[in-house]
C-alpha cells in the first residue's frame, strides 16, 4: 500500500544499522462576504473565536503540493519520482485537472471552513515559472511562479469564505517527512532565513483578514545525528525557535495571525533497545509559550494509524516492536491522544491551556473491511467528536488513478471528481459524523489568562511596551508579563514566573525599576532583603543574574494599595492557592503564588552565607 504520510523512517535506521552515525500579491484582495464569521481569529481559553467572539472551530483540510511532492531522487519531471506518482508541479495538487474554483467548491461541499496550505521556503523565492502541464486546467496561471500561483489559490479560498492557514511544511520543495534535510526549521537553511521568510509571508497576506494563521513548521524531528528539544536553549530548541518566530511575526509583520506551534514529532533512533518516542505536546505541560500578544497561540499535533507513541511508522527494515496507534484499544488510544495532545485544551485555566488543532490525520479509502486501519479511523473520529477538537484531514486532494487512496476528493485526468462524497467510500459515514457533530457554537466569553515566564537561557520579555523601551537591567536575564497582565507567582529556584489578568487586566504606561528597599514601609520579611514596588504599582517583571534576583519591574497601574498585604513564604516548599491555579509553572521547584484577586507587590530574598539570593517570599496585596 502507498501511504500518504511516511513517518521518520527508514533512511535513518539504515544508516544506524550501517554504522554511519558517530510585492503585494493578488491574494491581498478583499475577501467576498461570507455569512457566519469575521476575521481575524484569536483564542479564548481552549477555543478559537472570530473577531466577534463567536466560536470558529477549525474544520480544515490539507491542500498539499506547493511544498513539493518529489521524493528526492530521479527526474523531477517524471511522475514516478514523486510521492505516490502524484507530481504536483510545485503547486497545490490538482490544478492540472480541475479549475481552481471547482476544487475550492469541493472543499465547501466537504463541510470545511478552512484550509491548511503548505509551502516550502524554497517556493518563496523560486522564480522558475510552473510548467503549462502543472496548471493545464487553469490556463490563467500559465507563466506564473509557484508563489504567484500560491497567491491566486489563497485569493480563491478566502474569496469563497474559507480561512487559510499558511503552513511552512519544508525547507526545500520536496516530499516530507524522512531524513531529508527538512527535519527542522534550520536543517537546510539558517534560522535568519527561516524567520525572514515568515515575516515576508505574514506581511504578504496582512490585508486579507481570512488568512488567519501561521503554522510555523511541520513535524519537527530527528536528523541523522541530533534530536530536536523543547527548552534546552541550543540550536535545536524548538520551543525557543517557535517562541521567537511567533513573537517576530506578531510584532513586526502581522499582529492578527494565529501562531500555530506543532509538538515535536520524533526523537531518538527507532531501533529496539534504544530510546525513541513521539513527544508531541507533552513538553508544553511544564514549559509553554507566552507570546507578545495574548490570545494568539494554538498548539497542534498529528496522528496516523501506522505510527505510534513510540513507533516511527517504518515497516520492514528498522521496524520496532512498539505498538502503532492502530494496535491500541479505543480506550488506550483515547488515553494516549489525551496525554500527548488534547490535555492542552482539556485542562482549563493553566499556563498551557490553548486550542489544540489536530492538523493532520487521515486513512486510506482502500483499507480493507475489518482492518485495524478502519477501526482506528472510526475510534479517532470518535475522539475528535467527544473532545470537540479542531482538525485538518490529510490530504484533501488526490489523483484518481495514482494508487494514493488517502484523499477526500480525487480528480482524474479528465477533471471528473470522485471520493468521500461521490460514491462508495467506507470513510463517508465517519466523515459525515465528524463534520456534522454537535459542537460548541456561538459567543465565547473571555476567560482569565495565565501565562508562564521562562527566562531560562535569556530575556523573556512578553510585554510589547517593554520591548520598545531601553534595557532596564543590562547584563541580566529579564522577564516581563504580557501587557495587561501582572505577576502573580515566582519559583524559589529556576527563575520561572506566572502572570495573569484574573479579576481584571492592568493597564499602565509608567514604570520603575526597583533595586533597593526605598519603598518598604513595614518589615514584611524580617531579616530579608526586599524589593518592593511603590504603593501605586504592581510587579510586572523581574530580572536575574544567574539564580539571583537583581531587580523588580514595577508598573504604575493602581491608585494606591488597599491593604498592607500578606507574606507568602516558599523557600522550603510550595505556597500556592488551593488547586494550584495556573498549573505547575516551575516543575521540580518550590513556588509561591498570590491569590487570583491579589498582585505581587514585592520580592524578598536573603544574601546570607550559602544562599543564592533566590526568591524566598512574596508580598501579596489585594487588587483594588
Amino acid at each position: 500500500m502507498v501511504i500518504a504520510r511516511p513517518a521518520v523512517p527508514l533512511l535513518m535506521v539504515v544508516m544506524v544499522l550501517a554504522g554511519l552515525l558517530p510585492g503585494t500579491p493578488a491574494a491581498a484582495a478583499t475577501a467576498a462576504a461570507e455569512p457566519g464569521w469575521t476575521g481575524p481569529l484569536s483564542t479564548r481559553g481552549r477555543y478559537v473565536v472570530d473577531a466577534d467572539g463567536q466560536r470558529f472551530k477549525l474544520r480544515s483540510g490539507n491542500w498539499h503540493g506547493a511544498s513539493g511532492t518529489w521524493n528526492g531522487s530521479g527526474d523531477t519531471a517524471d511522475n514516478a519520482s514523486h510521492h505516490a506518482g502524484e507530481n504536483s508541479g510545485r503547486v497545490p495538487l490538482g490544478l492540472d485537472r480541475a479549475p481552481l474554483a471547482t476544487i475550492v467548491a469541493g472543499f465547501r461541499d466537504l463541510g470545511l471552513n478552512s484550509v491548511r496550505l503548505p509551502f516550502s521556503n524554497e517556493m518563496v523565492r523560486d522564480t522558475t515559472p510552473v510548467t503549462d502541464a502543472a496548471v493545464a486546467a487553469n490556463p490563467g496561471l500559465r507563466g506564473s511562479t509557484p508563489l504567484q500561483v500560491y497567491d491566486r489559490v489563497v485569493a480563491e479560498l478566502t474569496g469563497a469564505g474559507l480561512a487559510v492557514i499558511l503552513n511552512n511544511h519544508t525547507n526545500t520543495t520536496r516530499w516530507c517527512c524522512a531524513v531529508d534535510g527538512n527535519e527542522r526549521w534550520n536543517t537546510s537553511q539558517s534560522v535568519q532565513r527561516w524567520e525572514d521568510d515568515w515575516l515576508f509571508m505574514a506581511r504578504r497576506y496582512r490585508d486579507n483578514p481570512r488568512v488567519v494563521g501561521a503554522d510555523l513548521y511541520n513535524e519537527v524531528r530527528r536528523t541523522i545525528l541530533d534530536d530536536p528539544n523543547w527548552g534546552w536553549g541550543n540550536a535545536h530548541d524548538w520551543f525557543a525557535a517557535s517562541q521567537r518566530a511567533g513573537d517576530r511575526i506578531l510584532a513586526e509583520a502581522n499582529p492578527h495571525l494565529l501562531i500555530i506551534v506543532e509538538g515535536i514529532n520524533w526523537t531518538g533512533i527507532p531501533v529496539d533497545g534504544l530510546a525513541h518516542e513521539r513527544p508531541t505536546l507533552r513538553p508544553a505541560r511544564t514549559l509553554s509559550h507566552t507570546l507578545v500578544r495574548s490570545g494568539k497561540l494554538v498548539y497542534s499535533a498529528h496522528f496516523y494509524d501506522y505510527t505510534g507513541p513510540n513507533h516511527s511508522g517504518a515497516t520492514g527494515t528498522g521496524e520496532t516492536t512498539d505498538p502503532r496507534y492502530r494496535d491500541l484499544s479505543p480506550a488506550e488510544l483515547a488515553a494516549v491522544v489525551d496525554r500527548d495532545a488534547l490535555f492542552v485544551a482539556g485542562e482549563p485555566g493553566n499556563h498551557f491551556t490553548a486550542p489544540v488543532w489536530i492538523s493532520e490525520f487521515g486513512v486510506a479509502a482502500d483499507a480493507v473491511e475489518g482492518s485495524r486501519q478502519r477501526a482506528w479511523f472510526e475510534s479517532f473520529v470518535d475522539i475528535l467528536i467527544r473532545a470537540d477538537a479542531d482538525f485538518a484531514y490529510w490530504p484533501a486532494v488526490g489523483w484518481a488513478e495514482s494508487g494514493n487512496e488517502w484523499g477526500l476528493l480525487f480528480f482524474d485526468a479528465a477533471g471528473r471528481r470522485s471520493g468521500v462524497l461521490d460514491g462508495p467510500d467506507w470513510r463517508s459515514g465517519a466523515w459525515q459524523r465528524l463534520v456534522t457533530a454537535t459542537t460548541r457554537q456561538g459567543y465565547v466569553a473571555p476567560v482569565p489568562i495565565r501565562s508562564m515566564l521562562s527566562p531560562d537561557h535569556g530575556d523573556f520579555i512578553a510585554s510589547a511596551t517593554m520591548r520598545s523601551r531601553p534595557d532596564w537591567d543590562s547584563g541580566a536575564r529579564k522577564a516581563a508579563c504580557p501587557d495587561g497582565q501582572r505577576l502573580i507567582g515566582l519559583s524559589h529556584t529556576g527563575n520561572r514566573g506566572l502572570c495573569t489578568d484574573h479579576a481584571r487586566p492592568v493597564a499602565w504606561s509608567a514604570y520603575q525599576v526597583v533595586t533597593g528597599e526605598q519603598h518598604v514601609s513595614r518589615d514584611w520579611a524580617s531579616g530579608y532583603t526586599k524589593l518592593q514596588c511603590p504603593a501605586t504599582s504592581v510587579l510586572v517583571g523581574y530580572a536575574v543574574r544567574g539564580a539571583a534576583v537583581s531587580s523588580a519591574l514595577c508598573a504604575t497601574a493602581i491608585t494606591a494599595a488597599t491593604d498592607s498585604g500578606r507574606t507568602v513564604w516558599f523557600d522550603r516548599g510550595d505556597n500556592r492557592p488551593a488547586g494550584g491555579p495556573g498549573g505547575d509553572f516551575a516543575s521540580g521547584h518550590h513556588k509561591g503564588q498570590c491569590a487570583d484577586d491579589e498582585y505581587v507587590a514585592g520580592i524578598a530574598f536573603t544574601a546570607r552565607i550559602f544562599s543564592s539570593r533566590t526568591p524566598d517570599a512574596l508580598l501579596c496585596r489585594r487588587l483594588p
Side-chain angles (χ1 to χ4, degrees):
M1 180 180 74
V2 178
I3 59 176
R5 300 286 299 152
V8 175
L10 299 177
L11 176 59
M12 177 166 62
V13 176
V14 170
M15 288 185 171
V16 172
L17 298 177
L20 297 180
L21 287 176
T24 303
T30 303
E34 164 73 11
W37 73 285
T38 305
L41 303 183
S42 58
T43 70
R44 292 181 177 176
R46 61 136 297 172
Y47 296 108
V48 176
V49 299
D50 73 1
D52 298 321
Q54 300 290 314
R55 171 54 181 316
F56 187 90
K57 180 176 180 175
L58 293 171
R59 300 191 310 273
S60 317
N62 284 273
W63 192 4
H64 76 296
S67 60
T69 50
W70 181 53
N71 277 329
S73 62
D75 185 354
T76 58
D78 182 358
N79 292 349
S81 299
H82 292 255
H83 176 71
E86 295 178 332
N87 182 355
S88 71
R90 299 175 291 145
V91 299
L93 194 71
L95 296 181
D96 59 328
R97 293 162 177 249
L100 179 52
T102 298
I103 298 174
V104 172
F107 296 159
R108 300 307 304 266
D109 293 342
L110 287 167
L112 304 181
N113 62 11
S114 45
V115 170
R116 182 177 184 244
L117 195 62
F119 69 90
S120 71
N121 297 92
E122 183 181 357
M123 185 210 81
V124 172
R125 62 188 60 81
D126 186 350
T127 59
T128 303
V130 301
T131 64
D132 289 353
V135 291
N138 293 271
L141 298 177
R142 290 177 180 171
S144 300
T145 66
L147 181 57
Q148 288 169 337
V149 174
Y150 195 91
D151 289 340
R152 290 284 299 277
V153 169
V154 169
E156 188 73 31
L157 289 166
T158 57
L162 294 162
V164 170
I165 297 95
L166 311 175
N167 163 233
N168 186 192
H169 209 69
T170 52
N171 298 177
T172 62
T173 304
R174 60 167 293 177
W175 183 251
C176 168
C177 297
V179 183
D180 55 10
N182 293 301
E183 300 89 345
R184 294 192 309 270
W185 62 100
N186 59 346
T187 307
S188 300
Q189 62 188 2
S190 68
V191 173
Q192 186 68 47
R193 170 59 61 85
W194 178 63
E195 291 182 359
D196 287 348
D197 284 351
W198 259 122
L199 296 181
F200 171 83
M201 292 294 280
R203 289 173 180 138
R204 189 170 185 85
Y205 307 107
R206 177 173 176 149
D207 295 331
N208 188 336
R210 298 201 175 201
V211 176
V212 299
D215 186 351
L216 296 180
Y217 202 72
N218 180 73
E219 296 192 6
V220 173
R221 58 199 183 277
R222 182 183 173 88
T223 62
I224 294 173
L225 296 175
D226 297 298
D227 284 324
N229 66 80
W230 191 282
W232 293 11
N234 60 17
H236 305 158
D237 185 346
W238 175 230
F239 169 82
S242 54
Q243 173 77 41
R244 175 180 162 86
D247 279 342
R248 289 199 67 195
I249 289 168
L250 293 173
E252 301 176 38
N254 188 340
H256 306 302
L257 292 177
L258 297 174
I259 300 299
I260 299 165
V261 180
E262 187 179 331
I264 293 177
N265 192 63
W266 187 261
T267 61
I269 301 170
V271 173
D272 284 337
L274 300 178
H276 52 268
E277 65 172 340
R278 195 177 302 281
T280 50
L281 291 173
R282 289 199 306 276
R285 183 177 287 281
T286 53
L287 180 58
S288 62
H289 294 71
T290 297
L291 297 173
V292 72
R293 285 179 61 88
S294 299
K296 289 297 181 182
L297 174 67
V298 173
Y299 283 117
S300 73
H302 296 175
F303 292 93
Y304 290 99
D305 73 276
Y306 60 88
T307 60
N310 298 92
H311 200 301
S312 72
T315 299
T317 303
E319 182 174 5
T320 62
T321 58
D322 305 291
R324 303 173 191 261
Y325 291 119
R326 68 187 179 215
D327 298 326
L328 305 179
S329 70
E332 290 169 334
L333 179 63
V336 166
V337 173
D338 181 72
R339 180 197 69 184
D340 293 352
L342 292 181
F343 77 90
V344 173
E347 299 179 23
N350 288 298
H351 63 82
F352 55 76
T353 303
V356 173
W357 186 36
I358 305 302
S359 56
E360 286 188 27
F361 76 105
V363 72
D366 63 352
V368 300
E369 186 174 359
S371 66
R372 286 178 294 172
Q373 288 93 335
R374 288 199 182 195
W376 171 86
F377 188 70
E378 296 283 355
S379 294
F380 194 76
V381 166
D382 288 343
I383 291 168
L384 295 178
I385 291 172
R386 286 196 301 269
D388 195 7
D390 301 76
F391 61 85
Y393 184 94
W394 183 284
V397 177
W399 284 6
E401 72 284 0
S402 71
N404 178 6
E405 296 292 333
W406 288 62
L408 290 176
L409 302 176
F410 298 105
F411 294 91
D412 67 14
R416 291 183 294 262
R417 192 184 84 178
S418 58
V420 75
L421 301 177
D422 302 303
D425 189 316
W426 69 267
R427 301 171 301 169
S428 297
W431 180 255
Q432 289 301 321
R433 284 195 296 116
L434 180 59
V435 296
T436 62
T438 300
T439 183
R440 165 68 187 270
Q441 298 181 13
Y443 181 74
V444 178
V447 297
I449 299 171
R450 292 183 173 93
S451 305
M452 173 187 283
L453 298 179
S454 53
D456 302 5
H457 307 288
D459 287 353
F460 199 95
I461 301 174
S463 165
T465 301
M466 291 310 302
R467 285 176 172 229
S468 66
R469 305 296 170 85
D471 188 339
W472 47 274
D473 194 340
S474 180
R477 303 194 315 279
K478 296 166 283 293
C481 297
D483 291 340
Q485 297 186 42
R486 65 190 186 278
L487 194 72
I488 200 171
L490 276 178
S491 62
H492 173 57
T493 54
N495 304 128
R496 297 278 179 84
L498 184 68
C499 305
T500 190
D501 65 352
H502 204 285
R504 66 175 175 83
V506 292
W508 58 274
S509 56
Y511 70 95
Q512 180 177 343
V513 179
V514 175
T515 58
E517 297 191 326
Q518 63 270 35
H519 301 296
V520 176
S521 56
R522 68 176 182 88
D523 192 356
W524 52 271
S526 181
Y528 284 70
T529 302
K530 294 167 281 292
L531 303 182
Q532 184 172 330
C533 294
T536 58
S537 295
V538 303
L539 208 148
V540 296
Y542 55 95
V544 294
R545 297 173 187 270
V549 178
S550 61
S551 64
L553 179 66
C554 302
T556 303
I558 56 176
T559 54
T562 58
D563 61 23
S564 58
R566 64 186 182 97
T567 303
V568 172
W569 291 96
F570 54 101
D571 55 331
R572 298 182 181 181
D574 278 6
N575 191 348
R576 306 176 65 201
D584 190 350
F585 63 90
S587 180
H589 302 270
H590 300 328
K591 295 167 285 291
Q593 186 172 330
C594 299
D596 281 342
D597 61 351
E598 294 179 323
Y599 64 93
V600 177
I603 307 170
F605 58 88
T606 179
R608 62 176 174 256
I609 190 169
F610 301 127
S611 69
S612 300
R613 295 172 57 94
T614 58
D616 295 307
L618 300 176
L619 176 60
C620 297
R621 282 178 168 163
R622 193 166 301 279
L623 191 68

